Amino acid sequence: DILVAENQLIIAHADIGIAYSDLFPSISLTGLLGGSSLELIHLLKLSTGIGIAQAALSIPLVNAAAYQKIQAAKAGSKVSVFHYLEAVR
């Protein structure tokens, strides 16, 4: 029981890190058929400072869904800590 609770605690802490990663923008480097993705092509076309500024402005500053995932992951971690402490007793 203790090992199971410990592994669930490790997974819960990893879920927090995964939730935080949703705050950062992501691009895929290859498309479905192995070609370049549109995001990568668009990124490489941004050769002027104005284009980069426009791309930066298009990224949302506050991602409410990601924030909610972080809060849910933290709550899940607290539950896992409680279960671990109960298993150790």
Side-chain angles (χ1 to χ4, degrees):
D1 287 341
I2 294 174
L3 290 176
V4 171
E6 184 178 0
N7 284 332
Q8 289 175 345
L9 184 61
I10 292 169
I11 291 169
H13 285 298
D15 287 342
I16 294 173
I18 292 169
Y20 270 110
S21 70
D22 288 341
L23 289 175
F24 302 104
S26 63
I27 60 169
S28 59
L29 298 178
T30 59
L32 269 172
L33 301 174
S36 298
S37 70
L38 293 176
E39 290 101 354
L40 181 61
I41 292 170
H42 181 68
L43 181 66
L44 294 176
K45 285 183 180 178
L46 296 175
S47 60
T48 66
I50 295 172
I52 293 171
Q54 288 173 347
L57 290 176
S58 68
I59 298 171
L61 295 177
V62 177
N63 188 346
Y67 182 73
Q68 289 176 348
K69 285 181 185 179
I70 291 169
Q71 296 303 316
K74 286 182 177 180
S77 177
K78 289 179 183 178
V79 170
S80 294
V81 167
F82 176 75
H83 288 297
Y84 177 75
L85 292 175
E86 288 293 315
V88 171
R89 290 184 190 170

